[in-house]
Amino acid sequence: MATTAAPSPAQPLSESSLARISAALDGRWAERRRASRTVCTEPDLVSVPGMSVADHRARVLAAIGELADRGEVQRAFPARLGGADDPGGNIAGFEELIVADPSVQIKAGVQWGLFGAAVLHLGTAHHHDELLPGIMSLAVPGAFAMTETGHGSDVASIGTTATYDPDTQEFVIHTPHRGAWKDYLGNAAQHGVAAVVFAQLVTGGVNHGVHAFYVPLRDTEGERDERGDLPMLPGVTSEDDGVKGGLNGIDNGRLAFDHVRIPRTNLLDRYGQVAPDGEYSSPIASPGRRFFTMLSTLVQGRVSLDGASAVVSKMALAIAIRYAEQRRQFTGADPDVETVLMDYGTHRRRLLPLLARTYAVQLLHNDLLERFHGVFSGEHDTDAHREDLETLAAAAKPLSTWHALETLQNCREACGGAGFLAANRLVGLRADMDVYATFEGDNTVLLQLVGKRLLTDYGRSTAKMDVAGQLRWVAERAGDMALHRTPLRRASQSIRDWGSRARSAEELRDPAVQRELLEDRVETMVEEIALRLRPTHKASAAEKAAAFDANQAELVEAARAHGELLQWESFTGALESITDPDAKRVLVWLRDLFALTTIERHLAWYVVNGRLSAQRARTVTSYVERLLLRIRPYAGQLVDAFGYGPEHLRAEIATTAEGERQAEAMAYARARRASGEAPVAEKDLMRRSGSTQTPREAAAAPA
């Protein structure tokens, strides 16, 4: 564990500067976030390590009931029904619930963000009036029954059917085979009394695709069993998913339907209606567009998971960095004083780039939340804005959830054995967050969607070219190949950089250079994939599928690079609003650290593609090390800006306890040395009297 000289003392940021940073992080709905954090310290809401599954489920159900009673979770619903018509503020507060207990946050998300939101966005006025009051108050706990055992992210192919019977004016909900069971559903195993069920709507022998239906599950007038569960209604079967890797406060389960009949009016019919005689109609003629429009109304799940992942990353770093500011390990220049962990180069390398990326994740989320509010408040509700929102959410959620898992693991390791104790929360949060990478859209599948959008946009841009434009484009491509991929270019760049490393480092600080490097990687990767796919434009479906499959992994990587560019842009955009010079100076360093560690991870690509010489690539790493030393004195304040105190983190190692233990140990050692009671170290005796003497002989020799 190598260490360098401790950084020179730096003037701490003032309270005013720190407040500016906190305001930038908390964004437009800062007050809503802070109020929610305060609620998250309530004893009845916080997680208790080591609880049984049954006790945890009961505790979480009671907790979300308390949230409902206090009006903490209904802000997205119509004001005329007791909500606040505030979709952005609702999510901002909801994300912070993870501070109390991830199971509380996700169960609340199932009830109001999925079940309730489906009724709100896919239903019409009579559904709102009839169903939402019970959902909002938790009188009707519900499930969101979309995912099936046999079809996870492939919603369009689900097997559950809803066949209309015009004689009775009812839909018949049916599970035709085991693969069509609805699975992994919160509230399905015990607490849910109804569900929004997604099924293939069939009427008059025609399948009109996936639609949503309100389906009762349990007999609310029936007698509860020994577990306290209400009996299932005829034709409805429930199974408990059992113990999971995390989030065990949620009663995930499976549902199956054996020709269950529901009224025609239980179809959530905003985008598709069935008349009493069975005739189907829709305001959206295209089945494909109709399907994606329906799913786009449920994007808030991805938005909220993106924000919750940022919250968890901030919590983990607050715990690990506060511990590292106090914990001492191994003596350095002073043989009587052990070194603080944060003064080790390896520790800075482990935690500070994660800190920079966490700022980028949060600031991109703030922009995503603004877009979400614009669409769902009606301020900017157009097809184009919805499409942009979908793409941004699909880019942000994978990067933030993967980042949270990486951050939790590194923070756990950075805290040693203390980090492995459940009481210090890191391992529990890591287990709970694991599933975030696959629910509300598998991360890899979501990035594939982003990649397809990038290819579509690229295709649109080239399709607009006339013949002269296409010729210029070909010439530019040839010039690009010559400029960036020939040995001559690399050699000349290397010579120039060798002559002035300082100048190279100065260029890397330039936001225009950072943008160019990050943006160029995205554009080049997308363009190369598009060029490889172009010959298959008129090929058979099988040939097109094979070509796409051959480029799929690279397309996902291009989408990830696009997400990183978006993070950098949000970070840079946020800097424009910071007027406090001290706060801005430190945040610029942090932005630069994010940019350069992102570039550093992909140095092989930049060198192979001629965007950086080998010498300049070395400059990237050397400048990263300089930034780490600059930021190190502010690490504690940069996590203080997150706004999470000991009452939120609930981890002893994030308090002053470790510092007090270290101070006690040093005071004890000093007192022993001062009094002469401390035994003499053998190696000191050997140095004093020569290595040929035994320890006993050395001890007897004059000092």
Side-chain angles (χ1 to χ4, degrees), residues 204-493:
V206 178
N207 183 353
H208 293 281
V210 176
H211 289 65
F213 302 82
Y214 184 88
V215 182
L217 301 177
R218 288 179 167 85
D219 181 1
T220 56
E221 303 298 325
E223 185 176 344
R224 295 183 181 271
D225 62 18
E226 65 280 358
R227 199 170 72 164
D229 301 345
L230 291 167
M232 306 303 297
L233 289 168
V236 182
T237 302
S238 170
E239 290 182 356
D240 197 318
D241 278 330
V243 180
K244 307 181 294 293
L247 297 176
N248 280 301
I250 306 169
D251 56 319
N252 293 92
R254 309 177 187 94
L255 294 173
F257 306 92
D258 184 4
H259 298 92
V260 173
R261 289 179 172 267
I262 60 171
R264 178 182 64 89
T265 53
N266 280 26
L267 166 65
L268 301 179
D269 59 354
R270 179 177 178 183
Y271 297 106
Q273 300 83 39
V274 174
D277 64 359
E279 182 179 358
Y280 179 85
S281 61
S282 171
I284 304 175
S286 166
R289 183 164 166 262
R290 183 190 315 136
F291 171 72
F292 285 109
T293 300
M294 285 193 286
L295 292 192
S296 72
T297 63
L298 306 173
V299 70
Q300 73 179 58
R302 292 171 188 169
V303 175
S304 62
L305 293 185
D306 178 58
S309 298
V311 170
V312 166
S313 296
K314 290 185 290 186
M315 291 170 64
L317 285 163
I319 292 170
I321 288 177
R322 286 173 184 168
Y323 181 67
E325 293 275 21
Q326 301 176 70
R327 172 72 173 178
R328 295 178 179 273
Q329 191 82 12
F330 304 110
T331 56
D334 186 338
D336 296 324
V337 179
E338 293 181 281
T339 303
V340 171
L341 291 183
M342 277 306 298
D343 286 339
Y344 285 105
T346 49
H347 224 72
R348 292 192 297 274
R349 256 291 183 173
R350 170 178 269 175
L351 296 182
L352 295 186
L354 293 174
L355 178 63
R357 187 168 296 272
T358 297
Y359 268 69
V361 165
Q362 180 63 60
L363 293 170
L364 175 58
H365 176 71
N366 290 352
D367 289 346
L368 173 61
L369 194 53
E370 289 278 3
R371 285 177 181 253
F372 171 82
H373 184 78
V375 168
F376 284 87
S377 68
E379 295 172 7
H380 305 291
D381 189 6
T382 65
D383 288 345
H385 280 103
R386 282 181 177 264
E387 185 178 11
D388 288 345
L389 172 62
E390 275 282 308
T391 303
L392 183 56
K397 183 261 182 182
L399 269 62
S400 63
T401 53
W402 277 330
H403 171 70
L405 293 173
E406 179 187 359
T407 300
L408 284 161
Q409 185 62 30
N410 276 278
C411 288
R412 205 295 294 159
E413 294 179 23
C415 293
F420 197 61
L421 299 178
N424 287 320
R425 298 197 67 190
L426 294 172
V427 286
L429 288 170
R430 176 63 176 76
D432 287 336
M433 288 295 296
D434 202 340
V435 74
Y436 279 51
T438 53
F439 77 172
E440 290 298 316
D442 176 275
N443 282 356
T444 300
V445 174
L446 290 179
L447 287 180
Q448 182 175 306
L449 294 176
V450 175
K452 288 181 177 179
R453 171 70 188 275
L454 294 174
L455 285 175
T456 299
D457 288 350
Y458 175 83
R460 288 171 180 164
S461 66
T462 57
K464 295 177 182 177
M465 294 180 186
D466 56 16
V467 174
Q470 291 180 10
L471 290 174
R472 285 194 301 272
W473 175 80
V474 171
E476 288 169 359
R477 283 296 300 146
D480 180 75
M481 294 286 286
L483 183 66
H484 292 295
R485 301 189 183 186
T486 64
L488 180 63
R489 170 68 174 175
R490 291 198 296 271
S492 65
Q493 189 182 56

Side-chain angles (χ1 to χ4, degrees), residues 80-295:
R80 66 182 180 83
L81 296 176
D85 290 313
D86 183 13
N90 179 70
I91 287 189
F94 167 76
E95 292 161 357
E96 300 289 342
L97 293 178
I98 204 166
V99 172
D101 182 348
S103 286
V104 169
Q105 190 222 18
I106 294 302
K107 194 172 181 75
V110 169
Q111 177 66 20
W112 294 290
L114 293 176
F115 176 54
V119 173
L120 174 63
H121 296 301
L122 299 179
T124 45
H126 77 94
H127 297 114
H128 300 166
D129 294 339
E130 179 183 344
L131 303 176
L132 285 181
I135 294 172
M136 292 169 65
S137 69
L138 197 60
V140 180
F144 182 79
M146 176 184 282
T147 301
E148 294 183 356
T149 305
H151 287 97
S153 297
D154 185 8
V155 179
S157 300
I158 60 176
T160 303
T161 57
T163 305
Y164 185 66
D165 180 356
D167 293 336
T168 61
Q169 295 188 27
E170 294 174 320
F171 283 100
V172 181
I173 310 296
H174 184 59
T175 305
H177 51 77
R178 184 70 197 195
W181 277 57
K182 299 297 181 181
D183 211 345
Y184 319 117
L185 314 178
N187 281 342
Q190 285 186 263
H191 302 145
V193 301
V196 170
V197 177
F198 288 79
Q200 306 284 353
L201 190 159
V202 180
T203 180
V206 178
N207 183 353
H208 293 281
V210 176
H211 289 65
F213 302 82
Y214 184 88
V215 182
L217 301 177
R218 288 179 167 85
D219 181 1
T220 56
E221 303 298 325
E223 185 176 344
R224 295 183 181 271
D225 62 18
E226 65 280 358
R227 199 170 72 164
D229 301 345
L230 291 167
M232 306 303 297
L233 289 168
V236 182
T237 302
S238 170
E239 290 182 356
D240 197 318
D241 278 330
V243 180
K244 307 181 294 293
L247 297 176
N248 280 301
I250 306 169
D251 56 319
N252 293 92
R254 309 177 187 94
L255 294 173
F257 306 92
D258 184 4
H259 298 92
V260 173
R261 289 179 172 267
I262 60 171
R264 178 182 64 89
T265 53
N266 280 26
L267 166 65
L268 301 179
D269 59 354
R270 179 177 178 183
Y271 297 106
Q273 300 83 39
V274 174
D277 64 359
E279 182 179 358
Y280 179 85
S281 61
S282 171
I284 304 175
S286 166
R289 183 164 166 262
R290 183 190 315 136
F291 171 72
F292 285 109
T293 300
M294 285 193 286
L295 292 192

Side-chain angles (χ1 to χ4, degrees), residues 360 510-512 514-516 518 563-573 591-592 594-595:
D510 186 347
Q514 295 174 12
R515 178 190 293 277
E516 181 181 357
L518 294 170
E564 292 168 343
L565 172 63
L566 294 175
Q567 290 175 334
W568 181 92
E569 288 178 338
S570 290
F571 205 148
T572 302
R591 190 276 314 275
D592 291 350
F594 166 69

